[in-house]
Amino acid sequence: MPTKNKELYTMKITDHIKKANGKTLFSFEIIPPKKGNNIEELYNNIDPLMEFKPPFIDVTTSREEYVYVEKSGLLDRKVTRMRPGTLGICAAIKHKYNVDTVPHVLCGGFTKEETEYLLVDCHYLGIDNVMALRGDAMSHQKYFEPSKNGHQYAGDLVAQISNLNSGKYLHDAIEVNNSTDFCIGVAGYPEKHLEAPSLQTDLKRLKQKVDAGADYVVTQMFFDNKKYFEFVKAAKEMGINVPIIPGIKPLAVKRHLQLLPQVFRIDIPEDLINEVENCKTNKDVRQVGVDFAIQQSKELLAAGVPFLHYYSMGKSDNIHAIAKELF
Ligand code: FAD
């Protein structure tokens, strides 16, 4: 149930769903801006969306990236973190708007100890919802590789967070008299994760994450609602009984027709492809993306999904146009 953290109101995502009593709620995900930018730009994108009263905002995490630079004729590896810290942004947004924020916590690039520090910081800041994700392979890697003493799969990360919720820290020798109370989200893939040999196997992995303590699922973007409905049905049949929140991304540029299937292994419906291909400018594509997402969202809304969760890739005008039609 809701807890008061100083003057801040914090609630679990699952409690927001219970409290809504069947009403579909609006939420969205933001990507921290590239380093060097100012948080005001982020606020300017969030401000218009607060009109639709999102109970929570997700903030993604990007792991470190390697940039190769030449030094004295030799290639010298330089490590650079591209985006400002997710937790700081979550805390800033939470305090500015008094809304729940959900940091994405990754296996990739983090040791178990670093993850524990991060979770302790979340708890301290009154951030009680987290998305537990594996992360992708880095651009120079073929396969995902965990850090030394890091987690291989999101399910292992979920188990670590569940342990903290039971007061079990990594090292018994350090006395801590506080357990956490995280509500844990995980990723689900209506068109299966790109590395999974089959949708059924991927669903078994999802079930393992739920059994390890995940409280809700947010899906990868999809453009064909039938795939989401089938996914939810198959998940239920497998005994996955937590809420499955659909993730929706409005197409915004012509290049998305190639990029999204390539990166996320998702299909784009023929009629949407045709409409985008007929567009003369990216402004026209953006409008097509908005119109399609409105229709897609209306069908999901009619089916009584708990949240409509939008992927906003920086600029929020398209999400605003969609939400205005629905909320
Ligand atoms: P996992 O659940 O670990 O699954 C990864 C693969 O391993 C799957 O193929 C699964 O079937 C398989 N698998 C799982 N457990 C086992 C096991 N025990 N044995 C064998 N195989 C197993 N990425 C980011 O870098 N930052 C973000 O902020 C971010 N946010 C996201 C938000 C959402 C809603 C979604 C859907 C994805 C997000 N991603 C993000 C992308 C995500 O990190 C990638 O899709 C990643 O490749 C898989 O992450 P996962 O948590 O689903 O991994």
Side-chain angles (χ1 to χ4, degrees), residues 29-30 58-63 86 103-107 131-137 144 152-156 186-189 192-198 201-206 208-209 217-221 247 264 309 311:
E29 171 188 292
I30 56 151
D58 267 46
V59 183
T60 66
T61 295
S62 303
R63 57 182 298 186
T86 297
H104 290 194
V105 180
L106 299 184
C107 302
M131 271 293 280
L133 299 145
R134 189 196 69 178
D136 285 316
F144 173 82
Q152 172 78 50
Y153 295 112
D156 306 327
V186 289
Y189 302 84
K192 96 171 177 65
H193 183 256
L194 55 101
E195 293 161 29
S198 72
T201 309
D202 205 28
L203 272 167
K204 278 189 203 152
R205 304 305 185 197
L206 181 59
Q208 285 171 359
K209 291 195 273 192
V217 177
V218 181
T219 75
Q220 183 56 278
M221 67 183 75
F264 303 110
H309 185 70
Y311 295 117

Side-chain angles (χ1 to χ4, degrees), residues 125-196:
L125 291 164
I127 292 170
D128 290 336
N129 297 283
V130 289
M131 271 293 280
L133 299 145
R134 189 196 69 178
D136 285 316
M138 295 175 82
S139 49
H140 66 280
Q141 293 171 332
K142 200 157 183 202
Y143 303 105
F144 173 82
E145 280 175 29
S147 302
K148 199 163 172 261
N149 196 27
H151 294 297
Q152 172 78 50
Y153 295 112
D156 306 327
L157 174 57
V158 172
Q160 182 181 3
I161 304 169
S162 293
N163 278 341
L164 272 194
N165 281 350
S166 320
K168 277 187 229 145
Y169 287 72
L170 287 174
H171 305 293
D172 296 346
I174 302 169
E175 227 180 83
V176 196
N177 53 10
N178 225 343
S179 37
T180 57
D181 190 19
F182 287 112
C183 176
I184 309 167
V186 289
Y189 302 84
E191 298 178 63
K192 96 171 177 65
H193 183 256
L194 55 101
E195 293 161 29

